[in-house]
Amino acid sequence: MQQKSLSHKLLAQVLSVYFILTLIVSLGHVYAEYFITKNQINDELNTLQKTFSASLSRAIGELNTDQVIAIAQGVNTTPAVVKIIIRDEHGNILNTLTQETLSSLTLPEHLIRKNKQSVSYSSGLFGYTFPLIFEYSGRSKQVGDVTLLSDRATVIDRITASTYVLIANAIIKTTFLVILFLIAFRKHLTEPLSQLTQQIKDIDLKQLSQDKITLAAQESSELNVMTTTFTRLINRIQDYQKQLSSTQQQLLSANNKLDQHNLKLEQDVARKTSGLSQAMIDLQHQKQQLEIKQQSLIEEISYRRETEQALLTKKSELETTVDDLKQTQERLIQSEKMAALGGLVAGITHEVNTPVGIAVTTTSLLSDKINELNEAYTAKTLTSSQLATFIDEANQCSELLQSNLTRAAELIASFKQIAVDQTSDAIRTINLAHYLTEVIRSLQPNLKQTKHHVEVNCPDNIIFDCPAGAISQIITNLMINALVHAFEDTNQGLIRISALEQDNNINLTFSDNGKGLTSEQLAKLFDPFFTTKLNQGGSGLGAHIVYNLVRQTLHGSIQARSEPGKGLHYHIRFPIEPMRLT
């Protein structure tokens, strides 16, 4: 069954390829025959035109319509011509016999053609348009044109016979090839495989020496190779059977030797049993020694337990000490915050005193001017020039009062919000750009006596909910650290603060162009109580407070990089998605 299926499969594949190739070649042949026949018809139309164009030109030139129609009828009887169109020099159709037939056709051009041109239509018509030249008195004149048309049906009629011959030829060759392949496959594949399969089924494993695989075919083929290989396999199985029989004999001999060896071992065991008794006595003595060592170990364990209890007591004391240190650290940090707030209050107070003092002085001056005006009015010595001068001075005093009181109000409002933020962890909505400006304004007293410049780069559309006090304290501490440490050797430093929203995070950078830090100092920057101004008033908690605020309050990250002489740069990143306004 398998051999037959394999033959059919191979035959189907071979014939499929042959059928496809035959079909492609036949279609190509028909296609080529069609175009060759079409070109032949075009040649016939061209030859036909040469035959009657002179007489047709003369008939049109002499306005002999009857002769034109007669010539058209004669040409129309030619098998290759299915349509003929004759037009005069004005484009009027003269062949009235085809007038109705041509009413559905659209001529490619309405002007008389000067040269021969090929034409074709979507309805399957094709042919040529020839100009008609009439010569008289030694002069030539185009008197019209004639269009000879054939169609696709004419071409198909001419190639039908050859197409039938081609198809019959392909069918005959295909039938002969199928029969040839069926005979070849049956002789060289199906029958040898059936014979080989039957011989394999008849093999008796107990009488392999009498079973040999042979094929009737004498020529060399893959089946003969398979037969030879299978025969070799049978011979190897025979060899293995012989080796197995020999191995069984050797196994029996080995079993006999093993029995003798076991008997000898039993005798050896009996001899060694007496030696084991002495070994048991030695083991008893060793057991007693082990018991003594065990007692010693119990005492050692008791001593270690006492030591462990003492260590636990010390651990408890150390944990209490650590808690006290943490509380002390928190108090120091709070003190640092309050000290910073106190410095902020002092600076704001000084800043507010200036516009308030100016306002008080202006008010006193305005009061004196009013008294002078009142005295002049009472004494009836008031002149228009004195009144105008008073009005001008009063306007100046009013503008001075308004500007200074407005400045004082802005300073107090900024201080109020910043101070509240720095003493509270409450979450509120801020515009980051405006809030950074407010924080910088609250630190203006620290910048007033210097020529340092603060540059803030932040878009105006970053609005979100956050603990504003944390951001205020971070910027304040970084600003104070820069003013105290970075710019101690210069009075014209640059501080650049940049903020950008990216992937639901705020990227905040704080940079200065101060003296920078060494790699050893940078490694300890965020450690508590580390300062480069030890015993000079520095607490060493500013950067540590910033680190804790970023990591614990804002749940973000902070990194710093610096080199001596190249300033200090902080990169702070914290999420805003949980705090964003909806």
Side-chain angles (χ1 to χ4, degrees), residues 440-467:
I440 300 303
R441 183 183 297 168
S442 69
L443 295 172
Q444 198 62 34
N446 301 83
L447 298 167
K448 187 175 181 181
Q449 302 301 324
T450 68
K451 295 183 180 179
H452 302 318
H453 177 64
V454 180
E455 179 182 318
V456 179
N457 299 314
C458 179
D460 291 335
N461 60 347
I462 303 179
I463 302 174
F464 60 98
D465 289 343
C466 71

Side-chain angles (χ1 to χ4, degrees), residues 61 102 107 178 180 196 268 295-296 312 318 375 401 478 512-513 537 553 555:
L102 295 172
L107 294 175
V178 170
L180 179 63
L196 182 61
D268 292 339
Q295 184 63 32
S296 183
L312 290 175
L318 288 173
E375 290 176 358
L401 281 171
L478 294 180
D512 64 65
N513 62 346
T553 304
H555 306 290

Side-chain angles (χ1 to χ4, degrees), residues 283-504:
L283 288 174
Q284 187 67 26
H285 179 68
Q286 292 178 0
K287 179 181 178 182
Q288 293 176 357
Q289 292 180 347
L290 288 174
E291 289 177 351
I292 295 172
K293 291 182 179 180
Q294 182 180 7
Q295 184 63 32
S296 183
L297 287 174
I298 291 173
E299 295 175 355
E300 180 70 21
I301 290 171
S302 177
Y303 172 75
R304 290 187 178 183
R305 286 178 178 174
E306 294 175 358
T307 305
E308 182 180 357
Q309 187 63 36
L311 289 174
L312 290 175
T313 303
K314 290 291 184 182
K315 178 183 177 183
S316 179
E317 294 176 356
L318 288 173
E319 288 177 349
T320 303
T321 304
V322 170
D323 291 338
D324 294 340
L325 286 174
K326 287 183 178 178
Q327 294 176 3
T328 303
Q329 181 180 352
E330 291 177 357
R331 287 195 293 270
L332 283 173
I333 292 174
Q334 190 64 28
S335 299
E336 184 73 14
K337 292 181 180 178
M338 296 309 295
L341 184 60
L344 180 62
V345 171
I348 291 296
T349 302
H350 177 75
E351 284 294 308
V352 171
N353 280 338
T354 300
V356 170
I358 294 173
V360 170
T361 302
T362 304
T363 304
S364 177
L365 176 62
L366 184 59
S367 178
D368 292 340
K369 294 296 182 181
I370 291 173
N371 290 333
E372 291 178 3
L373 183 66
N374 189 29
E375 290 176 358
Y377 178 76
T378 303
K380 297 183 179 181
T381 60
L382 180 63
T383 63
S384 59
S385 60
Q386 288 178 329
L387 182 60
T389 301
F390 171 76
I391 292 172
D392 183 56
E393 292 175 347
N395 286 332
Q396 293 179 5
C397 291
S398 175
E399 292 176 358
L400 191 59
L401 281 171
Q402 184 178 1
S403 63
N404 282 277
L405 291 177
T406 300
R407 180 185 174 197
E410 291 176 352
L411 288 172
I412 292 171
S414 298
F415 164 72
K416 179 181 177 181
Q417 187 60 64
I418 298 303
V420 170
D421 287 340
Q422 290 195 1
T423 56
S424 172
D425 292 331
I427 295 178
R428 69 183 185 88
T429 303
I430 66 168
N431 182 306
L432 186 57
H434 296 169
Y435 192 71
L436 291 175
T437 303
E438 290 293 332
V439 175
I440 300 303
R441 183 183 297 168
S442 69
L443 295 172
Q444 198 62 34
N446 301 83
L447 298 167
K448 187 175 181 181
Q449 302 301 324
T450 68
K451 295 183 180 179
H452 302 318
H453 177 64
V454 180
E455 179 182 318
V456 179
N457 299 314
C458 179
D460 291 335
N461 60 347
I462 303 179
I463 302 174
F464 60 98
D465 289 343
C466 71
I471 296 178
S472 172
Q473 292 180 49
I474 290 170
I475 298 301
T476 301
N477 279 284
L478 294 180
M479 286 284 295
I480 297 300
N481 279 354
L483 295 175
V484 173
H485 299 284
F487 300 143
E488 64 177 354
D489 297 332
T490 179
N491 196 35
Q492 293 185 348
L494 172 63
I495 296 175
R496 181 178 287 109
I497 304 173
S498 301
L500 182 65
E501 179 183 357
Q502 185 178 14
D503 298 332
N504 294 326

